[in-house]
Amino acid sequence: MPPNDDVLIKIVDLAQREPAGTLASSVYDRLRGDILSGSLPPGEKLRTEALRARYEVGNSPIREALNRLSADGLVTREDQKGFRVAAASRADLEELVKTRCWLEQIALRESIANGDDSWEEGLVLSFHRLSRVRRSSSEDHYSVNPDWERLHRAFHLALLSACGSRWLLQYCAQLNDQADRYRQLAIVVSYPRRNELDEHEAMMKATTARDADERDIASHGAL
Amino acid sequence: MPPNDDVLIKIVDLAQREPAGTLASSVYDRLRGDILSGSLPPGEKLRTEALRARYEVGNSPIREALNRLSADGLVTREDQKGFRVAAASRADLEELVKTRCWLEQIALRESIANGDDSWEEGLVLSFHRLSRVRRSSSEDHYSVNPDWERLHRAFHLALLSACGSRWLLQYCAQLNDQADRYRQLAIVVSYPRRNELDEHEAMMKATTARDADERDIASHGAL
DNA sequence: CAATCAAATAATTTCGATATTTAATTGACC
DNA sequence: GGTCAATTAAATATCGAAATTATTTGATTG
């Protein structure tokens, strides 16, 4: 079983996403982005009609996207009552952070134990890409830089990509999404102040050195 | 935050499922059952037309069900190429078992640490219900007993239901589904020979006694 | 005979409209 | 004035057909 290469390639290439081949997938991507960025706030009712207007497609693709997102946990669905953006609360966030810690700890441990050369290469590559873009797309005030967000996500998943379980990897990705959303929701009030670039470099170096005891790696960016 | 009660009630009432309120949900349930039971084998192409005939509904509910199932990992989707029942392989099974161990270990540990009285009650109730139905619906040869399957699933999830993370719980449920499928796929060749009733009772007693060291609990039924 | 290209066929995806269900509003009655 | 029932309005869920895309078939050519 050599899933490492497959997974790695997939993860690394998460960095530059290909255009969606179908309307439903395109709507899925855009809707997902709008939820993660917070431009569709938690609890917001997602009416077919409004979304049709927003994304300029028929109702079938909308409905398909919503169904996928509801299985992802970004949208809630109630039979005969339609869809809403998933709620957000302090309690949910605590649950989320806790779970993310549990799972990423395992994934990182296994990744370090099993990672091969191509994993390390992917790691270095991901880091390099991440280090070349700015956190904010503006200089003075913070405004979300989509490139950075994508590369940041790719870097984190590259770390875990050799854990040997597609299931675990997928779950970590899902929890990452959720955490991203909370970060976006919170970010308007606190412009990031840490030196994240250095943090990321340290993470990479510690990891490639197989230094599993840097356990706070997993908790980095837990909001 | 008291999510325990909500979750518990939800888990316990997984035992008797309510009728689906919408066609799409009904198709989702039936299709899911047919995949888990193996009557739709791994890799099988899922053509809209064939499913329309099989479940006697229109196009839209089928498609919605398939989209949800694909996010659940029971169905694979490729843009412009339709849907298939998720593949099954020895390698996948090993990955699955490994992941299930990791996650259930955490969930059980946390459940034992956090579980309250109502959790224990739910556990006893689930066990009682499970103990009153037979593994096989026939006496001499094995044939799947849907009641047992449902109650078995509910019992396992009741064990983990106090883990304090809906995410983790959902992941465990998902992995349980996958394992169920593999069990069904394998079961034709090996009629179960263990005394599962006793096993389950031991699991319950060890757990309510807060005996976290019975670590092989988590690996029970790992196929 | 193998390979390539084009037409025909089949399957997926999408749309517009209809039927059903839920939510809101009105109006009567206590 | 408030509550409940009936009616209206809105939204969801579903259908059947049209449009787009993949696959197969068959003919032609090197």
Side-chain angles (χ1 to χ4, degrees):
Chain A
M1 172 189 73
N4 278 349
D5 266 27
D6 295 11
V7 173
L8 176 61
I9 286 168
K10 211 169 153 192
I11 293 295
V12 167
D13 286 352
L14 256 176
Q16 47 257 9
R17 100 167 110 245
E18 70 220 13
T22 177
L23 270 188
S25 293
S26 160
V27 171
Y28 171 84
D29 285 338
R30 292 202 276 162
L31 198 45
R32 183 167 162 280
D34 287 344
I35 293 173
L36 291 183
S37 74
S39 77
L40 286 173
E44 178 100 333
K45 188 106 215 296
L46 295 170
R47 272 181 269 280
T48 309
E49 180 56 35
L51 295 177
R52 275 187 29 153
R54 181 174 182 134
Y55 298 111
E56 296 174 305
V57 295
N59 51 24
S60 309
I62 296 283
R63 208 144 228 289
E64 289 199 20
L66 287 172
N67 274 297
R68 290 184 212 168
L69 287 166
S70 75
D72 285 346
L74 286 171
V75 160
T76 61
R77 176 186 55 77
E78 207 176 338
D79 276 352
Q80 319 279 26
K81 288 200 181 178
F83 302 85
R84 295 178 163 277
V85 177
S89 70
R90 179 159 295 275
D92 273 342
L93 175 57
E94 277 164 19
E95 233 178 270
L96 173 65
V97 169
K98 191 168 57 176
T99 312
R100 209 159 86 103
C101 270
W102 291 336
L103 266 54
E104 292 207 350
Q105 207 164 322
I106 297 174
L108 185 60
R109 182 191 69 203
E110 296 292 322
S111 224
I112 290 175
N114 305 330
D116 57 6
D117 288 348
S118 87
W119 170 67
E120 277 199 31
E121 287 172 18
L123 207 53
V124 171
L125 181 53
S126 297
F127 172 74
H128 175 71
R129 286 180 181 160
L130 178 61
S131 67
R132 296 186 69 84
V133 301
R134 266 196 295 279
R135 176 85 163 88
S136 168
S137 42
S138 170
E139 288 284 345
D140 42 356
H141 73 291
Y142 177 76
S143 74
V144 176
N145 181 352
D147 288 333
W148 187 89
E149 299 289 334
R150 211 171 55 238
L151 292 168
H152 181 242
R153 176 190 167 80
F155 173 70
H156 266 262
L157 291 181
L159 270 175
L160 312 178
S161 65
C163 72
S165 165
R166 269 159 283 192
W167 294 105
L168 184 55
L169 202 51
Q170 183 207 322
Y171 296 153
C172 285
Q174 217 172 91
L175 296 174
N176 257 299
D177 279 350
Q178 296 284 339
D180 275 356
R181 183 169 74 120
Y182 274 101
R183 196 165 345 122
Q184 295 303 336
L185 293 175
I187 219 155
V188 284
V189 293
S190 76
Y191 185 93
R193 65 276 146 212
R194 294 173 302 178
N195 188 338
E196 276 153 328
L197 184 56
D198 287 350
E199 258 185 30
H200 287 134
E201 188 163 23
M203 288 164 71
M204 189 196 54
K205 286 186 173 156
T207 304
T208 55
R210 298 292 198 272
D211 183 359
D213 285 337
E214 295 244 343
R215 273 297 154 74
D216 51 351
I217 290 174
S219 64
H220 154 83
L223 203 86
Chain B
M1 173 189 73
N4 279 348
D5 266 26
D6 295 12
V7 172
L8 176 61
I9 288 167
K10 212 170 155 192
I11 293 296
V12 168
D13 286 352
L14 256 176
Q16 47 258 10
R17 101 167 111 244
E18 70 220 15
T22 178
L23 270 188
S25 292
S26 159
V27 171
Y28 171 84
D29 285 339
R30 292 202 277 162
L31 197 44
R32 182 169 163 280
D34 287 344
I35 294 173
L36 291 183
S37 74
S39 76
L40 286 172
E44 179 101 333
K45 188 107 214 299
L46 295 170
R47 281 187 209 73
T48 310
E49 180 56 36
L51 296 177
R52 276 188 26 153
R54 179 172 184 138
Y55 298 111
E56 296 174 303
V57 296
N59 215 314
S60 314
I62 296 283
R63 203 146 235 286
E64 291 202 17
L66 288 172
N67 274 297
R68 289 182 213 170
L69 286 166
S70 76
D72 284 346
L74 285 172
V75 160
T76 61
R77 188 198 83 252
E78 208 176 340
D79 276 354
Q80 323 276 37
K81 287 200 180 177
F83 302 85
R84 295 178 161 276
V85 177
S89 70
R90 179 160 294 276
D92 274 342
L93 175 57
E94 278 164 19
E95 234 178 88
L96 173 65
V97 170
K98 191 168 59 178
T99 312
R100 209 160 86 102
C101 269
W102 291 336
L103 266 54
E104 291 206 351
Q105 206 163 324
I106 297 174
L108 184 61
R109 182 191 70 204
E110 296 292 322
S111 224
I112 289 175
N114 305 330
D116 57 7
D117 288 347
S118 87
W119 169 67
E120 278 198 29
E121 286 172 19
L123 206 53
V124 172
L125 181 54
S126 296
F127 172 74
H128 175 71
R129 285 180 181 160
L130 177 61
S131 66
R132 296 187 68 85
V133 301
R134 265 195 296 278
R135 175 84 165 91
S136 168
S137 41
S138 171
E139 288 283 346
D140 43 355
H141 74 292
Y142 178 77
S143 74
V144 175
N145 181 352
D147 288 332
W148 187 90
E149 299 289 333
R150 211 169 56 238
L151 293 169
H152 183 242
R153 176 190 167 79
F155 173 71
H156 268 262
L157 291 180
L159 271 174
L160 312 178
S161 65
C163 72
S165 165
R166 269 160 281 192
W167 294 104
L168 185 55
L169 202 51
Q170 182 207 322
Y171 296 152
C172 286
Q174 216 172 92
L175 296 174
N176 257 300
D177 278 350
Q178 297 284 340
D180 274 355
R181 183 169 74 121
Y182 274 102
R183 198 169 338 125
Q184 295 303 334
L185 293 175
I187 217 155
V188 285
V189 293
S190 76
Y191 186 91
R193 65 277 144 213
R194 294 173 303 179
N195 188 337
E196 278 153 328
L197 185 56
D198 288 349
E199 258 185 31
H200 288 134
E201 188 163 22
M203 288 164 72
M204 189 196 56
K205 286 187 174 156
T207 304
T208 54
R210 299 292 197 273
D211 183 359
D213 284 336
E214 294 246 341
R215 272 296 153 75
D216 51 352
I217 290 174
S219 64
H220 153 83
L223 204 84

